[in-house]
């Protein structure tokens, strides 16, 4: 899998950011309505359903809840009426009153056209918005099956995009080695081999149950474990034949057969998975760390201030951005002295600055002149300087390193750049 284009990366980021924003809304009661309209659904049928729900909502005992729900349904009907027919992938509406503290609420409305076709028509009224049908679209459609095993234990999982998911773990009842001799030795050996055979059959059954429904998206199966058990399991063809054909060669030696063994298996399969986003992230962050260790001759910059400086002088070759950044690049303007300044702030801190004083004249007359998502602004500036931009997942160890050690932003450079002392008061980043 090649590195996604900047446009595709931004589309994924924007979709995930929207999901986070919607998920953060909480109602004081069942005042948040989720409506999923599948492609091909008749708008007239949806309107008829909503009119019925509106009539039913008049029976809600709580006056406040009844008022909010009825408003939400009225708003929904107005939104749905604007569609002659659902978009090609369908559409999801999220409307209601979210709690904002002090026993107060405010209306919210979100309309989402999903990146993949919706296969469901659904109406739900709850204290949170129902996002499961959309969240499943955030993951990469392609995945790899993972099996780590020996005679004592097996763990099955999935590598989906950049996430390693544990699906099933099972301990065996295969007896360990014994010290009996004579005729008893042969009888116990037959018992052990029979128990091992039964365990391998069970592993194959679990693999079929977990992987066959996903076979169209399954790029392959990585099989690993300590010792020779995995080779015997593979050569004896215990797996269902369609899954057997997906097993990647060679098999991989791992020291563990539990959840940690799945992560070890992915590490060991780096060469096989070359080009996947997970592997590319490991490679590019490792390269960043190697460049940082070179000190003055290193081709690396990290942290908002140094990376911003490198972007301004055109020194950035590859810009690394954590997809977990949730900040805005805001231009503030003072209506008293006309002073303008830029700050990069978490979403929740914008109002704090607006309530404060102008750093030039000291008057509390600040307004928000313009706002741009920080990640989108970084992609735009990278493109303007001829640099490549790369989103780094927060789900991998490398992604965590980027966030915790480098504030979520770093860069590989075209040429070394001398460190510039950061200003005492940062007007912009």
């Amino acid at each position: 899998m090649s590195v996604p284009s900047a446009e595709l990366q931004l589309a994924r980021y924007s979709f995930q950011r929207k999901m986070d924003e919607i998920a953060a809304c909480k109602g004081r009661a069942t005042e948040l309505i989720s409506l999923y309209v599948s492609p091909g659904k008749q708008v007239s049928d949806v309107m008829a359903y909503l009119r019925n729900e509106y009539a039913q909502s008049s029976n809600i005992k709580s006056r406040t809840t009844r008022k909010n729900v009825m408003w939400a349904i009225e708003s929904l009907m107005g939104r749905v009426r604007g569609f002659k027919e659902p978009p090609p992938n369908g559409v999801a509406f999220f409307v209601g009153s979210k709690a904002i503290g002090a026993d107060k609420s405010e209306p919210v409305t979100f309309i989402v056209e999903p990146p993949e076709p919706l296969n469901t028509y659904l109406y739900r009224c709850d204290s949170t918005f129902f996002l499961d049908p959309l969240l499943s679209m955030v993951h990469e459609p392609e995945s790899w099956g993972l099996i780590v095993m020996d005679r004592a234990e097996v763990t099955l999982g999935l590598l989906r995009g950049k996430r390693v998911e544990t699906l099933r773990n099972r301990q065996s009842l295969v007896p360990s080695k014994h010290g009996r001799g004579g005729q008893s030795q042969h009888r116990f050996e037959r018992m052990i081999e029979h128990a091992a055979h039964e365990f391998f059959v069970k592993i194959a059954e679990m693999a079929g149950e977990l992987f066959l429904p996903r076979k169209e998206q399954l790029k392959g199966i990585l099989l690993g474990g300590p010792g020779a058990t995995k080779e015997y399991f593979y050569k004896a063809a215990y797996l269902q034949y369609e899954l057997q054909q997906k097993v990647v060669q060679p098999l991989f030696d791992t020291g563990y057969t539990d959840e940690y063994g799945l992560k070890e298996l992915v590490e060991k399969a780096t060469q096989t998975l070359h080009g996947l986003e997970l592997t590319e992230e490991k490679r590019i962050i490792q390269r960043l760390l190697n460049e940082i260790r070179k000190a003055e001759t290193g081709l690396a910059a990290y942290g908002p201030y140094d990376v911003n400086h490198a972007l301004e002088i055109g020194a950035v070759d590859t810009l690394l951005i954590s997809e977990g950044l949730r900040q805005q690049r805001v231009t503030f303007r003072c209506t008293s002295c006309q002073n303008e300044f830029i700050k990069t702030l978490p979403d929740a801190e914008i109002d704090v600055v607006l309530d404060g004083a102008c750093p030039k004249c000291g008057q509390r007359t600040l307004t928000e002149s313009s706002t741009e998502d920080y990640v989108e602004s970084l992609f735009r500036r990278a493109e303007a300087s001829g640099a490549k931009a790369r989103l780094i997942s927060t789900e991998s160890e490398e992604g965590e390193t980027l966030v915790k050690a480098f504030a979520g932003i770093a860069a590989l450079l075209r040429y070394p750049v001398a460190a510039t002392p950061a200003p005492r008061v940062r007007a912009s980043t």
Side-chain angles (χ1 to χ4, degrees), residues 181-202:
Q183 294 181 347
S184 296
Q185 178 180 358
H186 299 292
R187 181 165 58 89
F188 275 102
E189 286 177 352
R190 287 195 301 271
M191 290 175 58
I192 291 172
E193 292 307 313
H194 178 73
H197 169 74
E198 293 296 319
F199 183 53
F200 296 156
V201 169
K202 186 63 180 177

Side-chain angles (χ1 to χ4, degrees), residues 146-158 165-173 199 202-207 209-211 224 226 254-263:
L146 306 175
I147 304 175
V148 286
M149 61 173 292
D150 59 12
R151 288 193 170 202
E153 182 182 32
V154 64
T155 304
L156 298 93
L158 277 179
E165 302 177 24
T166 301
L167 300 179
R168 193 79 56 85
N169 174 270
R170 180 67 60 88
Q171 306 290 323
S172 80
L173 299 176
F199 183 53
K202 186 63 180 177
I203 293 173
E205 290 175 353
M206 289 190 293
E209 177 186 339
L210 296 171
F211 296 149
T254 66
Y256 299 89
T257 54
D258 55 7
E259 183 176 344
Y260 182 80
L262 295 181
K263 296 178 181 179

Side-chain angles (χ1 to χ4, degrees), residues 322-325 393-394 398-409:
S322 171
E323 66 180 18
L325 284 176
S393 167
T394 57
E398 289 70 24
E400 290 182 4
T401 298
L402 183 62
V403 172
K404 293 178 180 178
F406 308 125
I409 180 170

Side-chain angles (χ1 to χ4, degrees), residues 102-157:
D103 203 31
K104 295 181 179 179
S105 61
E106 67 178 16
V108 292
T109 300
F110 303 95
I111 301 176
V112 179
E113 293 189 25
E116 300 173 21
L118 287 170
N119 56 10
T120 183
Y121 171 71
L122 180 146
Y123 173 96
R124 178 172 295 190
C125 187
D126 208 334
S127 59
T128 58
F129 289 123
F130 182 68
L131 295 175
D132 287 3
L134 292 179
L135 290 177
S136 65
M137 299 179 185
V138 175
H139 297 294
E140 294 291 325
E142 294 179 336
S143 55
W144 293 76
L146 306 175
I147 304 175
V148 286
M149 61 173 292
D150 59 12
R151 288 193 170 202
E153 182 182 32
V154 64
T155 304
L156 298 93

